[in-house]
Amino acid sequence: MGSPIFSLLCLDKQDKQPVYLQLANQLMGLIRTGPLNAGQRLPSSREMSEMLQVHRKTVVRAYDELLAQGWLESHTGSGTFVARHLPRTEVQTLTDNKSASFNPQRTAGFSFTVAPHLERPVLKATSHLHLDDGFPDSRLAPVEELTRNYRGQMLHGNPYVRLGYGDTTGASRLRQELSAYLNETRGLHTTAENILIVRGTIMGFFLVATGLVAKGDHVVSGSMSWGGASANFIQAGAQLHTMPVDEYGMDTDALEQLCKQKNIRMVYVTPHHHYPTTVALRADRRLQLLRLSEKYGFIIFEDDYDYDFHYLSKPLAPLASADKAGMVLYGGSFTKAISPAFRVGYLVGSENVINYLAKVRRIVDRQGDLMLENAFAELLHTGVIHRHLRKSLRLYRERRDLFCELLRTELGSDLSFQVPVGGMAVWTGFDRGINLEKLAEKALQKGLYMYDGHSFNRADPTLNHTRLGFASSSPSELEQAVGIIKKIIANK
């Protein structure tokens, strides 16, 4: 019974894990790795307790745990044994294939390939100062009202209903409130049955690409476009074509020529404020895009990511508001309106498509956060979101004007830009002598985050552009940010 095998057991009575579980897990490990083999007899509980200097009941509980899990078997009058049905395991030795430094917690034992389209930077809020991709100022978010509404959802009503499974299309009340809101503010013609609630636009687009685009299908986006759309198209196995984008948006004449050559399945557009350039798709091109969709039968995915923030006039009506043929899928979220932390978005389309995409959604995510969705419904019902958007629009317009003035007066000789008519960022072209990657790196060292424009400039090597977001920064923060950039450029 004094087998050296059991000298490998090491129990720590100060550990948070109960001692009996430590013993059970360590015995399990010895069985897995080979020192203990199928059919081998274990010391009695008394012998093991003396050997390890623990109470006998501790050993009994450990043995009972392994008996229940099928690792051990007990024979009355004979003792406790490693279960005979387990395969015999040779004691593992490290070979040339697995070096002594191999760590399975860090590296899997099997191989896989990370496709290039999945290699996209993950933006995180780490710096005090930021000229981001165009995010809202979360300090303005109606957090108190949302917290109160969420708490109400947690505490009131039938707990079986509010804490149980719900509709895969999303909370019924949010779909009803959102339908009325979209009809009023965007001129859509919807009912709750036309809306699928999702966890942000990216999830909605994943469902669309997965459910409506087949391998080999031809799809279209702008020559510069949102990376999330392109990644989903590629993941679906589609053939991606890009159309030129100028000061009037996507070139729909070029799109028509492509339609004559290829059977286009889907076109992805951000017509209100094209991403990343912020230009609006001109009225004649909007009409032509809808006409081409009907003529050639392709789906339009309209990503209206920042509809609420248009400064020149009233926001332009979405393509979906003029869609008479059921060819447009309209996607949006509360990311830009409230905060990226609250993952509530929506897809709008014909009822049969929404029902189908809800089935696709179910194999990815059974449902969203129903309490959060109902809390957002309350924000819509009470007008909190309307008031918040009016306040935010005023502040963001002021910040846009200040930021553009700072860029003009402090950095005018080193960059060029057009004052955006909407959105939360300025599409900015830097002098070719300025290395944007090095500029962004040095800025980060000084506490300022700015995107280096890598994905944009890789798509078009003639560019040296990036997006500089202004909405999430206060006036003083914008002044500090521009000051940092000015000093870096002056000392290059």
Side-chain angles (χ1 to χ4, degrees), residues 13 76 113 122 124 185 265 271 301 312 359 406 425 488:
K13 296 180 180 180
T76 304
T113 300
V122 177
K124 298 179 181 179
T185 61
R265 174 60 172 168
F301 188 99
L312 186 62
K359 292 180 174 65
L406 288 169
I488 295 173

Side-chain angles (χ1 to χ4, degrees), residues 302-488:
E302 181 178 14
D303 180 358
D304 210 355
Y305 64 99
D306 60 0
Y307 172 87
D308 299 290
F309 304 107
H310 196 75
Y311 311 116
L312 186 62
S313 59
K314 293 183 65 175
L316 305 176
L319 296 170
S321 67
D323 176 28
K324 305 301 181 184
M327 304 303 291
V328 179
L329 291 174
Y330 181 80
S333 75
F334 291 102
T335 294
K336 298 296 189 292
I338 305 294
S339 170
F342 304 116
R343 308 306 299 164
V344 179
Y346 47 87
L347 273 177
V348 180
S350 302
E351 288 185 23
N352 63 333
V353 175
I354 294 302
N355 289 335
Y356 165 62
L357 293 179
K359 292 180 174 65
V360 177
R361 184 252 177 86
R362 190 173 181 181
I363 65 175
V364 180
D365 185 20
R366 170 60 175 78
Q367 65 190 50
D369 184 337
L370 296 180
M371 283 177 284
L372 180 61
E373 292 174 13
N374 281 319
F376 265 86
E378 188 68 17
L379 293 181
L380 287 169
H381 181 73
T382 57
V384 169
I385 285 184
H386 300 69
R387 293 191 293 274
H388 167 73
L389 289 173
R390 285 197 297 270
K391 175 183 177 182
S392 299
L393 179 65
R394 175 177 55 80
L395 289 175
Y396 293 164
R397 182 191 291 115
E398 292 173 357
R399 294 177 184 184
R400 178 205 63 170
D401 294 344
L402 171 64
F403 185 55
C404 289
E405 180 64 16
L406 288 169
L407 291 179
R408 185 183 66 80
T409 57
E410 303 297 319
L411 298 169
S413 61
D414 297 304
L415 52 77
S416 61
F417 64 93
Q418 295 291 328
V419 178
V421 297
M424 300 179 175
V426 178
W427 178 239
T428 310
F430 282 76
D431 183 273
R432 297 292 299 178
I434 297 174
N435 186 313
L436 275 177
E437 291 188 13
K438 290 183 178 179
L439 176 61
E441 182 180 338
K442 291 179 179 178
L444 190 59
Q445 293 172 357
K446 296 181 180 297
L448 168 64
Y449 167 79
M450 60 174 288
Y451 180 49
D452 62 16
H454 174 71
S455 62
F456 310 135
N457 302 318
R458 181 180 57 184
D460 185 350
T462 66
L463 294 175
N464 195 35
H465 281 60
T466 192
R467 281 168 61 90
L468 299 178
F470 55 82
S472 60
S473 300
S474 68
S476 63
E477 290 166 347
L478 291 173
E479 291 173 356
Q480 293 177 62
V482 172
I484 289 174
I485 295 175
K486 183 177 180 179
K487 287 182 180 178
I488 295 173

Side-chain angles (χ1 to χ4, degrees), residues 204-257:
F205 197 80
F206 173 81
L207 297 178
V208 168
T210 300
L212 297 175
V213 176
K215 185 176 182 179
D217 279 352
H218 296 275
V219 297
V220 174
S221 69
S223 55
M224 286 183 295
S225 188
W226 178 48
S230 300
N232 272 287
F233 279 143
I234 296 170
Q235 185 72 14
Q239 298 185 47
L240 180 60
H241 303 268
T242 57
M243 290 293 104
V245 175
D246 57 25
E247 66 269 32
Y248 305 116
M250 181 182 288
D251 185 340
T252 48
D253 288 335
L255 175 61
E256 183 167 18
Q257 292 305 311

